[in-house]
Amino acid sequence: MRTNNMKAILKAALRVVCILPFAAVVAFGQQTVNLTAGPTTVTLPDGSTVPMWGYSCGTVVTGGTATCALLNPLAAATTTTAATWSPVVITVPYVATGTSLTINLTNSLTFGANSVPTSLLIVGQLDAGLGTSATSTASPDHTNAQPLTWPIAADPPGAPMTGVGTPPAQGPRVQSFSTEVAPGATTPVTWTALRPGTYLIESGTHPSIQGPMGLYGILVVTTAPAGGVAGTAYPAVGTTVPAVTYNAEVPVLLSEIDPVQNNAVTAAVNTAGFTETAVWSGQPNQCGNPSSANYHTCYPPAVNYTPLYYLINGVAFNKTSPSSSLFPVSPATGVTGSVLVRFVNAGLRMHVPSIVGSVTTPAVVPTGTTAAAVSGFSLVAEDGNPLPGVSRVQSEVFLAAGKTYDVMVNVPTAAGATALPVYDRELSLSANAIARDAGMVAYIGVNGSGLPAAPAFAGAIARPDTYNSVLAGQTLTVSDPGKGLIANDTNVFGVQVVGSRTDSEPERDVYLLGPSYSLYLLRQRCCYGRGMLFQHHCFGNTWCGTA
């Protein structure tokens, strides 16, 4: 009997010893991050302040190794300024035996007496509530549907036309695609089997509204480089796809802002009687008609989305402060080998990022070929899926809305190498439709590399203008300075026409005020009819001359 008891004790002890390491692995694979969704603002290079909704990182969970950070470090609060809007990046260490993430999402989207629910999606990852906890609202009333614009609602064949159709029955419409978080509440959302890679985080509630308002970010699941040991972005897949290793990384998130839509949404949620289930209509007595008593009590029509500002990592490039768009890799120094660039398109428009001057050594080359450094970057993974076969090398990559791409570049080795410029070849390089040399431009800093030398940012140059359309007795108006006075000037931007004069000579005195100049008088004398064939203008004076 004593022997049997001893055997039972030994077996129990052995089970405990076996369970402890497993429990340690499970605990290490389980990560928790606190996140809050709330209203904020962003100030853009032209001085415009646009209302936004955004995520902010909460208190760090004790014992956790997952991190949450702002993609734009300059948006963090200081002792004298409040925090402003920035997308976030959540990084979770990958554990082969199971990587689990819980995000405690707090909903602070409250606007006086009004508030709205929200939810969270990680595109490409499955959470416990996806598909099972979605919420919906009843379909709008289509009783007075017009057959001309909705043929399926027309009168039956052979029946006389009544002018008002009978629409087919409409099912409920999705409001939140995942676990919905009520205003003022904190709800945990869990992903139990995260896959390694780069993924877009975004709101799953009214995505056409809450997404453009700024509720998005990046999730990175990886084994990060540390202590001089290369990281692993993607483990090997059988014998066909080798592991993807790297020595440093940098997230690059592309997005847009439509200030008109954002201001309309802000006006709506701050209007008494607002309801997000109301359907916008511009008809009399409807919420989209400015003369209606219930104006602004519904969301604006998202079909009119027209972005005017373009950003990388939450920053619209400002040529007067280019250092704001310099993003260092991690780790920031002591890097050799390769840099993994994680491209994410959080906007609703397609973009085509390119890295100027980048060089890459393909990891997989055709049989019998020796890998060598070539210009461009190697495509590594698409939407969190490693690309099989021979490495593809490109100078740019197409990013549809919601798309992610991981690309690999070599660490610059040239002496005095500057940061690598990144820009959108789709040419989202403006601000508010008039400011040039703005938008989706940024720099990737490797090993502390800085911006290009100052001569790359040239001074302002004003060039002569000729207006062939000026006729005696007729007023020529150019309301957009970007297409008139400054169309042929260099590095003159953000200016505004603030005064003009027309007289019998004819002559126009135009005052321009912009960040590149102090206030100055730009006098342009159109010399037609006086034997003069060309003109020149400079600060404060004008002269005409013959050919």
Side-chain angles (χ1 to χ4, degrees):
M1 180 68 67
R2 188 173 300 172
T3 302
N4 291 338
N5 287 340
M6 184 60 67
K7 288 181 179 180
I9 292 172
L10 289 174
K11 289 179 179 179
L14 183 61
R15 283 196 296 268
V16 171
V17 171
C18 293
I19 289 172
L20 284 175
F22 178 76
V25 170
V26 171
F28 183 76
Q30 172 63 50
Q31 303 290 339
T32 302
V33 170
N34 295 316
L35 204 63
T36 299
T40 182
T41 61
V42 64
T43 301
L44 297 160
D46 62 357
S48 302
T49 299
V50 179
M52 304 288 291
W53 299 350
Y55 295 122
S56 58
C57 302
T59 306
V60 177
V61 177
T62 303
T65 54
T67 61
C68 179
L70 300 178
L71 279 170
N72 175 19
L74 299 179
T78 67
T79 55
T80 57
T81 60
T84 56
W85 173 82
S86 170
V88 298
V89 54
I90 297 174
T91 304
V92 179
Y94 176 69
V95 178
T97 55
T99 305
S100 178
L101 171 65
T102 295
I103 294 180
N104 295 322
L105 181 60
T106 299
N107 183 355
S108 295
L109 295 172
T110 299
F111 313 89
N114 298 326
S115 57
V116 297
T118 191
S119 60
L120 197 64
L121 287 178
I122 301 177
V123 180
Q125 303 277 10
L126 297 178
D127 73 86
L130 187 63
T132 61
S133 61
T135 59
S136 59
T137 59
S139 173
D141 182 11
H142 294 289
T143 301
N144 294 320
Q146 301 298 308
L148 184 62
T149 57
W150 196 3
I152 197 174
D155 298 293
M161 181 173 290
T162 62
V164 178
T166 302
Q170 300 290 302
R173 298 187 175 186
V174 174
Q175 173 172 285
S176 297
F177 285 88
S178 186
T179 304
E180 191 171 272
V181 182
T186 298
T187 302
V189 185
T190 300
W191 293 261
T192 57
L194 289 178
R195 299 186 301 120
T198 306
Y199 302 93
L200 171 65
I201 300 173
E202 64 179 352
S203 171
T205 302
H206 293 298
S208 62
I209 296 294
Q210 296 196 7
M213 286 298 294
L215 289 175
Y216 47 76
I218 298 178
L219 171 71
V220 173
V221 183
T222 187
T223 302
V229 178
T232 301
Y234 297 93
V237 180
T239 59
T240 57
V241 181
V244 177
T245 60
Y246 64 100
N247 303 98
E249 61 186 321
V250 61
V252 177
L253 183 143
L254 294 82
S255 61
E256 316 124 7
I257 294 177
D258 177 355
V260 175
Q261 177 169 308
N262 282 27
N263 280 295
V265 170
T266 300
V269 297
N270 284 282
T271 299
F274 165 78
T275 171
E276 59 178 356
T277 59
V279 178
W280 185 92
S281 173
Q283 297 298 317
N285 301 318
Q286 298 298 312
C287 61
N289 192 313
S291 63
S292 301
N294 61 343
Y295 182 52
H296 273 326
T297 57
C298 59
Y299 282 134
V303 70
N304 293 331
Y305 176 75
T306 305
L308 296 178
Y309 296 97
Y310 305 94
L311 309 92
I312 290 181
N313 287 352
V315 181
F317 184 75
N318 183 353
K319 65 190 307 179
T320 64
S321 179
S323 59
S324 301
S325 294
L326 175 61
F327 301 101
V329 301
S330 178
T333 59
V335 180
T336 60
S338 57
V339 175
L340 183 66
V341 182
R342 301 179 182 271
F343 283 123
V344 177
N345 183 5
L348 300 185
R349 297 287 188 266
M350 67 92 172
H351 298 287
V352 187
S354 178
I355 304 176
V356 180
S358 63
V359 174
T360 185
T361 302
V364 181
V365 297
T367 303
T369 303
T370 302
V374 294
S375 61
F377 49 67
S378 301
L379 303 185
V380 170
E382 178 182 4
D383 297 327
N385 299 295
L387 298 176
V390 174
S391 300
R392 286 188 289 163
V393 176
Q394 299 179 185
S395 60
E396 74 284 318
V397 62
F398 173 79
L399 292 181
K403 174 69 70 175
T404 73
Y405 252 109
D406 294 338
V407 305
M408 196 77 74
V409 300
N410 293 353
V411 172
T413 57
T418 59
L420 294 171
V422 181
Y423 78 104
D424 182 17
R425 290 196 65 178
E426 190 269 337
L427 299 182
S428 299
L429 306 175
S430 62
N432 205 20
I434 59 172
R436 296 177 289 178
D437 305 321
M440 289 182 174
V441 180
Y443 294 88
I444 299 174
V446 185
N447 289 328
S449 58
L451 298 171
F457 302 102
I461 302 174
R463 295 186 175 87
D465 297 301
T466 300
Y467 295 102
N468 296 317
S469 300
V470 175
L471 301 175
Q474 300 293 325
T475 300
L476 171 66
T477 300
V478 183
S479 58
D480 183 352
K483 298 178 181 178
L485 294 172
I486 66 171
N488 64 342
D489 297 337
T490 299
N491 286 339
V492 179
F493 64 99
V495 298
Q496 180 182 3
V497 177
V498 296
S500 64
R501 188 186 77 200
T502 302
D503 58 27
S504 59
E505 292 193 4
E507 176 183 277
R508 291 177 61 87
D509 292 345
V510 182
Y511 292 89
L512 297 182
L513 180 62
S516 296
Y517 295 112
S518 59
L519 182 65
Y520 68 90
L521 171 65
L522 178 63
R523 168 171 291 188
Q524 301 198 105
R525 185 185 301 273
C526 300
C527 307
Y528 302 104
R530 302 174 58 199
M532 307 298 183
L533 300 181
F534 64 90
Q535 61 174 333
H536 179 76
H537 66 255
C538 57
F539 300 127
N541 61 73
T542 302
W543 58 269
C544 298
T546 57

